[in-house]
Amino acid sequence: MPLLPPLVTAVSDHLMYKLLTKLLPASFAPLLLGLATAAVGDSQSLLLGAWNCKGEVQRPEGSYRVNAVVQLAEASALISQGELFVFSPWLGSEIPMSFKATGTWELKEQTLHGKLTEGNIATGNAFTDQLADILEQQIQASPNFRAEITQLNQRSLTFKPEQTNPVTCLRAS
């Protein structure tokens, strides 16, 4: 890929920053870090184990979608890793990113409360890694999340983080 002139690069960096700050709500952390942690009533034991989760948000400024494997362990430990895809209409393409995150979770009635403790987002490309750094900064600025549990059984889970669409999960085999 040819190097862009510095002015073009600076303008595109600024536009991408503006896009990401409008596109990603403060509650982005649950999609990335708490994708599969929710329970109904006293069904907390159903949450333990690995889940394959998908979430998506559409906005006029662009969209993002997440595919992740989330491992929930006892003692409130959470590990999530997968792919994040950010689409920008002004770029006209989707930017794939990989992520790995750890955090903690706590169940209160039908609501999951959690906190990001560590995370890494990368693209493998110097230009788009700058965008991934912006996402990491936004998540670090708002590491706490909440999500309402709407459905849970042995094989599937659905929950709704604040200000985003519902996330669906299937138990990993």
Side-chain angles (χ1 to χ4, degrees):
M1 183 169 132
L3 293 175
L4 297 174
L7 179 59
V8 173
T9 301
V11 169
S12 64
D13 287 353
H14 175 72
L15 290 174
M16 183 55 81
Y17 176 79
K18 296 287 273 178
L19 164 77
L20 291 174
T21 56
K22 287 184 178 184
L23 173 64
L24 300 174
S27 62
F28 180 67
L31 279 177
L32 189 61
L33 304 169
L35 279 175
T37 56
V40 177
D42 63 349
S43 301
Q44 184 166 341
S45 64
L46 283 175
L47 291 174
L48 299 177
W51 296 90
N52 295 316
C53 300
K54 295 182 180 196
E56 185 171 338
V57 173
Q58 300 283 333
R59 296 184 179 220
E61 301 87 7
S63 63
Y64 65 89
R65 61 188 172 90
V66 177
N67 297 322
V69 175
V70 178
Q71 178 69 42
L72 299 175
E74 294 187 35
S76 301
L78 163 69
I79 299 171
S80 178
Q81 61 184 27
E83 299 171 310
L84 168 66
F85 300 90
V86 178
F87 177 79
S88 164
W90 68 268
L91 279 179
S93 65
E94 192 172 67
I95 301 168
M97 302 179 185
S98 63
F99 70 88
K100 183 171 183 178
T102 59
T104 60
W105 62 277
E106 177 183 13
L107 184 63
K108 295 180 182 176
E109 296 180 19
Q110 293 187 343
T111 303
L112 169 73
H113 297 259
K115 182 176 182 177
L116 163 68
T117 56
E118 291 184 45
N120 180 276
I121 304 172
T123 66
N125 175 288
F127 175 72
T128 53
D129 272 347
Q130 293 175 11
L131 307 177
D133 290 343
I134 293 169
L135 292 175
E136 282 184 28
Q137 291 169 9
Q138 289 181 330
I139 293 167
Q140 291 168 0
S142 297
N144 298 318
F145 60 90
R146 287 191 330 192
E148 179 186 351
I149 300 147
T150 59
Q151 187 264 329
L152 173 67
N153 61 45
Q154 286 288 348
R155 295 187 310 181
S156 65
L157 165 67
T158 304
F159 65 96
K160 185 175 182 328
E162 295 178 321
Q163 302 175 4
T164 64
N165 298 340
V167 174
T168 59
C169 307
L170 296 174
R171 187 162 308 271
S173 48

